[in-house]
Amino acid sequence: MGQTVRTTKLLLDLSKREQGGANRDKRRYLEETVAMLDAARCFYLDFLLAHPQILMERVEVISKQTAEVSQRLISADKVLTWAEFQTLATDAHPAPLPQWNFSKAFPDFPNRYRRSVIKDCIGKARGYLTTLRTWQHAGKQKGKPAVPTAANHPTLYAGTYTLELDSLDLRKSFVRLKVYSGSQWVWVHYPTRYNRYFEVRRGEEGWEQESPKLILGKQTAAIHFVQSKTITATKIVESKRDPDLVTVAVDLNVKQLAVITVRQHGTIIQTRFVSDHGLDQHRYRHLKRVAKKQWQAGKPIKGERSNQQLWRHIRRQNTDVAHKTARAIVEVCEQYRGCVLLFERLRVIKAKGGSKSRRLNRKQANQLKGKINQLAKEKAYASGVVSIEVNPHGTSQYCARCGAKGLRFSLVAGQRVTAKGGKLFVCSHCSYECHADFNASCNVHHSFFREFHWQPRIQRSG
Ligand SMILES: [Zn+2]
């Protein structure tokens, strides 16, 4: 049993008014709101850290099932109630602590926002106190934990926002947010860049809605809708005993981004190549431009970024391709219930030798590999597939059929050219020939089951 979380973004449309976006005040309101909540968080963080004994109080809990008495940390809800009682002026309790009077410092502060702020602070303060205590116990000089900062993204509990989605006309969808205008709290409508994809994700079965967050960037504003899902998956050790187990192996490369092979009962039953559709070459050309510009401009100025748009373009392309490739891997996994996803432990191609643009491109390719690996694991887990990393030793050098050492070669104008990075593979023992990446992908299965002599055995002690 495990849990996984995912986020779907809904962008607020804050572009220029002539282009149909919100007016400038709306942007300012959001900034004011974030600043106001940060100030409130600062207040409660100071308050809670001034009362550590209550924050870390241990209480006796009686179990309903076994009637056993155990000690546990006081619940966050109880601390919240206590903090509100101490700092708020109510009819029943008109005089809170004079130096901690929240009602006076923040008049008309919405309840829901206040609670989200206090909850956030309890988490932050507790985390800090715990790390501080372990640091003190360790008796080290270095690494003293820093006091947490108050800044955070506002959490939108029910009552501080409403989604108004007009399903007939997708262009007319709004989010109503409670924001601070600089003098008072008001409800304001914000147009959104709503899309069908968002609706599909929100309505998907098995995912539970959590409180969304307002993320205010320098240029953009978005509401991040968080969803969580409980996953039930069998452990790898148990799966490995199953004779009908299906294994899905992935070999990540530069040109063929992923070569996916599926194996059951010792035979490969499905293969899928995910090509980069010329991305490597495309990126290389951009990086050539970057390298040339860097050379022309000379020494870079510290703290200043150059070629920002170009880098953004490269980054976006990489992310997009990574998501698509990861999706392709998971699509294969979803066809086989209870399968295990196998990856090689990532090898980094050293970015040395060749031109500067080539080195830059190698770095990018390495990052892309890492990204695909990470995304595929996350996406696979969300659909109940567990992944494992296997030892990459020798997967691209040995024959997947007989286990003997082979050679890499390419066909240049009909002639065989033996080269280290050759596209094809030939076995010197059984003369088996195939695509080199396919061979490597098949070897990942062997590595998982440790079937060949060149694969390292489990080390026995003594
Ligand atoms: Zn062979």
Side-chain angles (χ1 to χ4, degrees):
M1 285 278 256
Q3 259 223 332
T4 183
V5 184
R6 77 174 184 192
T7 306
T8 313
K9 296 175 194 172
L10 183 65
L11 293 181
L12 300 185
D13 199 354
L14 290 174
S15 51
K16 291 191 188 95
R17 191 138 204 213
E18 306 87 71
Q19 292 164 12
N23 61 27
R24 235 182 276 152
D25 272 346
K26 288 197 177 179
R27 166 88 205 176
R28 188 174 59 79
Y29 291 170
L30 290 180
E31 279 161 9
E32 296 264 11
T33 310
V34 169
M36 194 67 174
L37 291 176
D38 279 350
R41 220 172 274 126
C42 199
F43 174 95
Y44 273 110
L45 207 54
D46 287 346
F47 172 73
L48 289 169
L49 288 177
H51 302 87
Q53 69 286 357
I54 287 159
L55 199 60
M56 303 304 271
E57 192 181 306
R58 296 194 82 82
V59 287
E60 287 192 341
V61 186
I62 302 161
S63 166
K64 270 183 192 158
Q65 286 160 354
T66 57
E68 269 177 56
V69 182
S70 59
Q71 286 232 324
R72 212 180 282 169
L73 200 62
I74 189 167
S75 77
D77 283 326
K78 288 226 172 88
V79 180
L80 175 94
T81 318
W82 169 82
E84 285 192 324
F85 181 77
Q86 297 293 331
T87 55
L88 296 177
T90 54
D91 293 338
H93 181 71
L97 298 171
Q99 71 272 39
W100 298 112
N101 194 335
F102 187 79
S103 307
K104 212 167 132 195
F106 297 88
D108 298 327
F109 201 85
N111 298 347
R112 305 293 170 95
Y113 273 137
R114 189 187 61 230
R115 283 197 193 124
S116 84
V117 158
I118 299 176
K119 279 242 170 125
D120 203 3
C121 288
I122 292 171
K124 278 182 177 225
R126 270 187 176 167
Y128 167 69
L129 290 176
T130 317
T131 42
L132 186 70
R133 203 164 48 195
T134 35
W135 175 76
Q136 279 164 345
H137 276 292
K140 279 184 193 159
Q141 290 285 315
K142 276 185 188 174
K144 185 178 183 187
V147 179
T149 52
N152 206 345
H153 299 297
T155 307
L156 304 171
Y157 282 130
T160 54
Y161 86 104
T162 47
L163 254 184
E164 285 168 22
L165 305 172
D166 193 339
S167 54
L168 293 172
D169 189 356
L170 296 181
R171 284 165 297 179
K172 278 187 197 156
S173 52
F174 287 90
V175 173
R176 217 157 74 97
L177 289 174
K178 190 129 197 190
V179 291
Y180 190 65
S181 70
S183 54
Q184 57 182 340
W185 290 90
V186 282
W187 283 99
V188 178
H189 274 84
Y190 284 89
T192 63
R193 299 219 185 123
Y194 181 75
N195 50 45
R196 275 170 300 166
Y197 167 73
F198 172 78
E199 197 51 52
V200 170
R201 295 258 290 190
R202 237 169 80 85
E204 215 171 298
E205 234 175 274
W207 290 90
E208 215 161 289
Q209 311 285 342
E210 304 213 339
S211 301
K213 274 180 181 292
L214 172 68
I215 311 290
L216 194 61
K218 269 188 194 136
Q219 313 280 339
T220 56
I223 296 185
H224 287 196
F225 286 87
V226 185
Q227 291 173 304
S228 67
K229 189 182 186 182
T230 315
I231 307 289
T232 41
T234 16
K235 281 182 182 147
I236 299 269
V237 194
E238 285 163 27
S239 303
K240 217 170 174 176
R241 283 191 215 117
D242 179 9
D244 298 324
L245 176 69
V246 178
T247 47
V248 180
V250 179
D251 181 55
L252 299 174
N253 290 290
V254 178
K255 294 254 163 72
Q256 295 294 336
L257 285 174
V259 179
I260 311 158
T261 51
V262 185
R263 196 179 102 158
Q264 192 181 24
H265 303 134
T267 40
I268 302 291
I269 51 175
Q270 194 191 341
T271 308
R272 183 165 174 190
F273 281 70
V274 184
S275 157
D276 73 338
H277 297 291
L279 173 78
D280 192 55
Q281 192 52 235
H282 182 110
R283 195 177 50 213
Y284 174 67
R285 281 204 293 277
H286 283 313
L287 290 168
K288 227 152 110 179
R289 207 173 135 86
V290 169
K292 189 179 178 189
K293 278 178 153 187
Q294 283 179 354
W295 173 74
Q296 282 173 330
K299 214 176 175 190
I301 304 159
K302 215 177 177 186
E304 207 173 274
R305 312 262 292 137
S306 48
N307 303 311
Q308 285 190 33
Q309 290 195 329
L310 208 50
W311 277 118
R312 200 175 303 145
H313 170 68
I314 293 167
R315 225 168 22 235
R316 263 212 298 250
Q317 271 189 326
N318 266 0
T319 319
D320 179 54
V321 165
H323 272 285
K324 281 178 182 157
T325 313
R327 189 70 238 156
I329 294 169
V330 177
E331 269 167 19
V332 172
C333 290
E334 277 170 350
Q335 296 170 26
Y336 308 96
R337 275 198 79 81
C339 67
V340 174
L341 180 60
L342 311 177
F343 276 102
E344 281 182 307
R345 207 171 317 121
L346 279 187
R347 276 174 304 188
V348 174
I349 313 165
K350 279 242 174 84
K352 64 176 184 188
S355 59
K356 174 152 193 187
S357 30
R358 196 178 151 78
R359 290 198 303 272
L360 285 174
N361 202 20
R362 280 283 154 272
K363 260 192 197 167
Q364 289 294 317
N366 282 335
Q367 283 205 332
L368 180 58
K369 266 192 188 181
K371 194 118 207 175
I372 294 171
N373 186 302
Q374 180 210 342
L375 287 173
K377 274 181 189 168
E378 285 171 8
K379 284 182 207 279
Y381 188 64
S383 49
V385 177
V386 191
S387 49
I388 187 172
E389 286 189 344
V390 300
N391 195 322
H393 170 77
T395 45
S396 61
Q397 299 167 45
Y398 293 89
C399 174
R401 230 183 227 181
C402 68
K405 205 159 184 175
L407 284 172
R408 302 271 297 251
F409 71 98
S410 294
L411 286 175
V412 181
Q415 297 291 312
R416 281 164 178 258
V417 180
T418 313
K420 213 180 152 199
K423 264 187 193 170
L424 301 167
F425 175 88
V426 61
C427 175
S428 44
H429 178 73
C430 69
S431 303
Y432 172 57
E433 283 181 20
C434 65
H435 193 287
D437 297 337
F438 173 73
N439 184 58
S441 187
C442 295
N443 269 333
V444 173
H445 296 281
H446 292 307
S447 190
F448 176 64
F449 291 108
R450 292 196 175 80
E451 287 164 336
F452 283 141
H453 62 92
W454 45 266
Q455 275 145 2
R457 303 257 142 201
I458 304 166
Q459 297 265 317
R460 286 192 198 91
S461 55

